[in-house]
């Protein structure tokens, strides 16, 4: 079942899925992949979502809801009414509601209208019903905001499989999960209405947000407004304020300013023409990149302290960063790229389409979850378990099959026999319980200081890097001496048929294997018990009653007989009986040890 990846943005929203192994974003009937996150409520008829909704804004601004993401999971008291153009109220639990006519809508319900539109877009494009989704949220979203996002998904008929942090999604889209096992990255995300800076650490495939900062009222819209003021100032002879003008004039100017800003990403000059802006008055002004950069500069400067604070909170300096990713539509602007380059003192990464990056990352995450990004997932997991042979010829799994790589795991081992001075570590791959039924990838002899049984402490660590190279490190923790064995492509270099055959065999032999493992484990216990009982009898046996002594000897004989017979149930019972019979002996041994101490 395909899983949708959704970027539910403050200004724009996108949806995509994995199709034929490729993450793709889906376009609506008008051919648009990005739709404005706007909902219009016409005085008659159903709500309208997207570009058509924005077009209604010039007619009835109070009936067009934008930036509803800012209200998600918020209480009325947390919202500055000056920042929204529509009337608000609160529900009984103080959570914010948006009033349209006589109905109070929750932000979740409004977001659900956007999500439903995206779901329909995807269903039309793919020709099937799609009910599962991954949705992205800003890294700083708290639990209430994340829950509200999930709730919005449910209201739209979507089962939300995962909520993903936007910077993490961006890093996924940039492919950073594949190329680097360890990296520190900054994601500079300047959208239409919000700015976020996130500092992430990727460590062996795990994404960790170290710090975030931002401004929920800073973005491309501010630049549009500043440019609109400039256009108005150059036009209005009486220098009256643009904000004092009719809403329709303001909106026309904002729209013209945004168009000019976008045009100036491609060209160095642009002519703004607004015939009949006012009665009998036409506006025609030439703007260039310098003018736009001057308008943008104060807003870009506001991002500087936020970035530096995030870096500081992450405990990093500029030099520690491996990569700076630019995300969000506004980072297309040459002025923004230049600013980020100067701020981070490095070449910034602009290899991804900035307004599609987050959505693409969500799609990739969905593809990984649904298993439809098979190639990627196959490369990213160990197809078979990896382990070493332990006492009695058993397979001791260290990294189970299907573990996502890169990965690392380890265990501590000791010597089975006294005076042993080295241990043979046989590296095995496979699903069978007994070492001999699995494949041997290599072996290393680990030297250590000879001593009594159980005195050595050998840590064995398996590490598979992102290329599937397995490195086995054995460390004598007493001397810190390491022995290393490197095995190329252990994780991925197994033909599919062989993996399938191994798994099929392990299923076929599951019962035999299991009873053999259990017998071996019981035998290991007997091997430990019998010599220990002999030793204890020699030390403190004289203090036992002859009845107790006979009982112990009989129990020990039964263990030996059970070992001979190869019967698991009999051996388990005999071990338990010997344990029981030696209670008194163990107490005597303990008492003697205490007296000696
Ligand atoms: P987002 O919130 O990430 O969708 O970004 C939306 C913002 O990006 C809006 O302010 C747009 O005006 C701006 N934007 C989109 N395309 C461009 C472009 N080509 N050049 C400059 N700004 C753009």
């Amino acid at each position: 079942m395909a899983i949708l990846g959704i970027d539910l943005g403050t200004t724009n929203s996108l949806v995509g899925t994995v199709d034929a192994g490729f993450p793709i974003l889906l376009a609506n009937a008008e051919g648009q992949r990005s739709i404005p996150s706007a909902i219009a409520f016409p005085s008659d008829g159903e709500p309208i979502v997207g570009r058509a909704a924005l077009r209604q804004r010039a007619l009835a601004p109070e009936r067009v809801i934008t930036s509803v993401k800012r209200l998600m999971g918020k209480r009325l008291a947390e919202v500055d009414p000056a920042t929204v153009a529509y009337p608000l109220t609160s529900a009984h639990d103080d959570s914010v509601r948006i009033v349209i006519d006589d109905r109070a809508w929750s932000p979740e319900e409004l977001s659900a209208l956007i999500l439903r539109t995206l779901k329909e877009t995807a269903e039309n494009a793919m020709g099937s019903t799609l009910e599962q989704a991954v949705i992205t949220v800003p890294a700083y979203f708290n639990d209430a905001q994340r829950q509200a996002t999930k709730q919005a998904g449910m209201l739209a008929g979507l089962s939300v499989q995962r909520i993903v942090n936007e910077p993490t999604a961006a890093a996924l889209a940039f492919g950073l999960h594949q190329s680097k096992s360890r990296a520190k990255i900054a994601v500079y995300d300047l959208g239409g209405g919000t700015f976020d800076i996130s500092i992430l650490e990727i460590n062996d495939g795990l994404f960790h947000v170290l710090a975030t900062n931002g401004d929920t009222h800073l973005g491309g819209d501010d630049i549009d407004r500043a440019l609109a003021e400039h256009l108005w100032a150059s036009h209005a002879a009486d220098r009256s304020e643009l904000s004092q003008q009719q809403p329709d004039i303001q909106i026309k100017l904002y729209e013209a300013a945004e168009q000019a800003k976008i045009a100036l990403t491609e060209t160095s000059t642009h002519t703004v023409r607004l015939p009949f802006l006012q009665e009998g008055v036409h506006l025609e002004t030439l703007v260039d990149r310098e003018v736009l950069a001057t308008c943008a500069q104060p807003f870009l400067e506001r991002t500087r302290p936020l970035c530096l604070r995030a870096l500081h909170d992450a405990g990093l300096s500029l030099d520690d960063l491996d990569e700076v990713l630019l995300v969000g539509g506004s980072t297309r602007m040459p002025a923004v790229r230049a600013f980020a380059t100067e701020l981070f003192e490095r070449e910034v990464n602009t290899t991804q389409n900035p307004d599609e990056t987050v959505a693409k990352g969500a799609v990739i995450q969905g593809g990984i979850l649904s298993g439809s990004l098979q190639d990627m997932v196959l490369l990213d997991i160990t197809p078979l378990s990896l382990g070493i042979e332990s006492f009695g010829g058993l397979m001791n799994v260290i990294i189970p099959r299907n573990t996502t790589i890169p990965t690392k795991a380890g265990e501590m081992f000791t010597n089975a026999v006294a005076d042993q001075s080295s241990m043979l570590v046989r590296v095995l791959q496979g699903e069978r319980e007994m070492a001999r039924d699995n494949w041997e990838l290599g072996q290393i002899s680990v030297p250590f200081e000879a001593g009594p049984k159980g005195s050595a402490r050998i840590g064995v660590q398996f590490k598979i890097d992102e290329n599937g190279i397995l490195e086995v490190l054995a460390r004598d923790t007493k001397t810190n001496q390491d022995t290393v064995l490197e095995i190329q492509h252990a994780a991925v270099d197994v033909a599919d048929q062989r993996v399938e055959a191994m798994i099929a065999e392990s299923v076929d032999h599951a019962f035999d294997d299991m009873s053999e493992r259990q017998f071996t484990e019981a035998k290991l216990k007997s091997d430990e018990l019998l010599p220990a009982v002999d030793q204890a009898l020699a030390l403190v046996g004289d203090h036992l009653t002859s009845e107790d002594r006979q009982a112990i000897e009989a129990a020990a004989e039964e263990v030996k007989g059970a070992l001979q017979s190869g019967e698991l149930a009999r051996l388990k019972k005999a071990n338990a009986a010997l344990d029981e019979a030696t209670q008194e002996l163990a107490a005597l041994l303990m008492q003697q040890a205490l007296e000696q101490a």
Side-chain angles (χ1 to χ4, degrees):
M1 179 79 169
I3 298 183
L4 297 176
I6 295 179
D7 171 8
L8 182 60
T10 308
T11 332
N12 295 301
S13 296
L14 298 94
V15 63
T17 189
V18 175
D19 188 19
F22 291 97
I24 53 163
L25 296 176
L26 300 166
N28 61 14
E30 288 86 53
Q32 289 137 355
R33 303 201 283 196
S34 167
I35 60 159
S37 305
I39 310 130
F41 289 86
S43 33
D44 49 355
E46 293 295 302
I48 307 169
V49 172
R51 217 158 296 263
L54 267 196
R55 269 187 237 120
Q56 306 268 321
R57 198 159 56 170
L59 305 171
E62 73 291 348
R63 304 185 73 85
V64 180
I65 312 299
T66 54
S67 301
V68 69
K69 185 175 179 178
R70 291 205 177 118
L71 306 178
M72 293 290 271
K74 291 261 173 93
R75 279 172 302 165
L76 182 62
E78 293 171 311
V79 182
D80 175 4
T83 58
V84 284
Y86 32 84
L88 300 179
T89 180
S90 64
H92 57 88
D93 60 354
D94 293 338
S95 59
V96 71
R97 291 287 181 271
I98 298 97
V99 187
I100 313 274
D101 297 328
D102 44 13
R103 176 159 176 202
W105 293 72
S106 69
E108 292 89 316
E109 288 173 310
L110 295 176
S111 294
L113 295 175
I114 300 171
L115 289 172
R116 193 176 288 279
T117 304
L118 296 172
K119 179 177 185 279
E120 282 165 11
T121 293
E123 289 177 339
N124 290 338
M126 301 300 293
S128 58
T129 311
L130 294 160
E131 283 167 346
Q132 300 185 339
V134 166
I135 305 180
T136 57
V137 296
Y140 60 78
F141 254 29
N142 63 25
D143 193 55
Q145 293 169 303
R146 285 166 199 262
Q147 288 300 343
T149 306
K150 253 190 153 166
Q151 177 72 18
M154 271 164 54
L155 292 172
L158 290 167
S159 142
V160 181
Q161 301 295 304
R162 193 155 305 179
I163 295 284
V164 182
N165 286 324
E166 286 163 11
T168 301
L172 277 173
F174 274 89
L176 293 185
H177 59 304
Q178 287 167 319
S179 57
K180 294 208 173 82
S181 64
R182 216 188 157 91
K184 297 195 175 61
I185 55 183
V187 180
Y188 182 99
D189 181 353
L190 189 64
T194 53
F195 168 68
D196 296 324
I197 175 76
S198 310
I199 312 293
L200 309 186
E201 183 175 46
I202 308 180
N203 199 348
D204 285 353
L206 283 180
F207 291 79
H208 182 44
V209 180
L210 298 177
T212 68
N213 217 305
D215 187 332
T216 48
H217 295 285
L218 178 62
D221 298 351
D222 294 302
I223 300 172
D224 300 344
R225 234 168 277 132
L227 185 61
E229 299 278 1
H230 169 86
L231 295 174
W232 178 253
S234 61
H235 159 80
D238 61 359
R239 292 279 174 267
S240 59
E241 296 275 320
L242 174 58
S243 55
Q244 305 299 314
Q245 305 305 310
Q246 300 285 337
D248 62 321
I249 292 186
Q250 290 183 32
I251 285 170
K252 275 188 196 162
L253 270 163
Y254 292 158
E255 284 174 358
E258 183 181 15
Q259 280 167 16
K261 175 187 77 175
I262 290 174
L264 287 172
T265 291
E266 301 299 329
T267 63
S268 51
T269 59
H270 176 81
T271 306
V272 177
R273 284 193 188 88
L274 286 173
F276 311 108
L277 178 62
Q278 287 168 295
E279 239 182 69
V281 184
H282 311 299
L283 180 148
E284 182 164 334
T285 310
L286 184 83
V287 283
D288 59 19
R289 278 191 182 170
E290 283 70 44
V291 168
L292 176 62
T294 311
C295 292
Q297 197 59 26
F299 300 103
L300 301 184
E301 276 303 332
R302 276 170 54 190
T303 70
R304 186 190 300 272
L306 303 172
C307 293
L308 297 179
R309 206 167 311 144
L311 262 180
H312 176 265
D313 291 347
L316 301 181
S317 66
L318 282 172
D319 286 347
D320 295 325
L321 289 176
D322 296 297
E323 198 88 54
V324 177
L325 311 182
L326 294 196
V327 179
S330 297
T331 64
R332 285 175 188 275
M333 284 179 65
V336 177
R337 295 183 171 192
F339 178 82
T341 305
E342 178 262 316
L343 169 60
F344 289 100
E345 297 173 5
R346 75 186 58 224
E347 202 62 49
V348 289
N349 190 333
T350 55
T351 55
Q352 294 292 314
N353 180 339
D355 32 41
E356 298 187 345
T357 322
V358 170
K360 197 173 139 199
V363 171
I364 292 173
Q365 179 69 64
I368 293 173
L369 288 178
S370 70
S372 51
L373 283 178
Q374 279 260 318
D375 287 349
M376 197 155 111
V377 176
L378 249 188
L379 268 178
D380 267 352
I381 60 167
T382 50
L384 292 174
S385 303
L386 292 160
I388 68 171
E389 175 174 349
S390 67
F391 303 146
L394 293 176
M395 166 74 167
N396 187 328
V397 173
I398 296 195
I399 298 179
R401 67 183 285 258
N402 281 341
T403 302
T404 310
I405 62 168
T407 187
K408 206 159 67 174
E411 246 177 69
M412 201 63 103
F413 294 91
T414 186
N415 54 325
V417 203
D419 298 327
Q420 195 180 335
S421 63
S422 74
M423 182 192 276
L424 184 70
V425 174
R426 287 183 67 210
V427 179
L428 304 170
Q429 182 170 41
E431 303 312 310
R432 303 289 299 275
E433 297 288 340
M434 303 306 293
R436 58 159 197 269
D437 296 322
N438 291 319
W439 304 326
E440 182 180 306
L441 297 179
Q443 36 175 275
I444 34 171
S445 172
V446 188
F448 52 85
E449 219 176 277
K453 178 184 169 199
S455 62
R457 286 275 169 277
I458 309 297
V460 176
Q461 179 188 273
F462 277 36
K463 188 175 151 187
I464 309 175
D465 70 11
E466 63 280 1
N467 300 314
I469 295 173
L470 169 68
E471 185 194 87
V472 179
L473 179 146
R475 172 174 299 167
D476 179 353
T477 56
K478 283 194 183 154
T479 59
N480 271 345
Q481 199 188 340
D482 288 346
T483 315
V484 177
L485 174 71
E486 194 174 277
I487 297 162
Q488 298 282 331
H489 295 281
V492 292
D493 202 21
V494 188
D496 287 354
Q497 298 94 315
R498 292 192 73 199
V499 172
E500 278 164 27
M502 168 58 91
I503 294 167
E505 267 173 37
S506 77
V507 174
D508 289 348
H509 294 97
F511 286 110
D512 304 343
D513 274 13
M514 212 50 210
S515 51
E516 189 167 0
R517 168 179 276 273
Q518 286 178 341
F519 189 81
T520 306
E521 282 170 352
K523 178 177 178 296
L524 285 172
K525 179 153 192 213
S526 315
D527 289 350
E528 231 172 75
L529 271 174
L530 290 173
V533 169
D534 282 347
Q535 248 182 345
L537 281 177
L539 277 172
V540 292
D542 295 347
H543 301 288
L544 287 172
T545 63
S546 64
E547 262 165 48
D548 276 353
R549 193 176 177 121
Q550 274 169 14
I552 293 172
E553 282 165 357
E557 278 313 306
E558 172 54 16
V559 169
K560 288 178 200 160
L563 276 172
Q564 289 278 317
S565 75
E567 289 167 41
L568 173 64
R570 183 174 162 197
L571 184 58
K572 277 184 154 176
K573 208 169 137 200
N575 276 342
L578 182 58
D579 243 349
E580 179 68 32
T582 52
Q583 296 282 335
E584 179 61 19
L585 184 64
L588 283 171
L589 206 58
M590 179 67 88
Q591 196 182 339
Q592 195 197 48
L594 280 174
E595 278 164 14
Q596 279 171 0

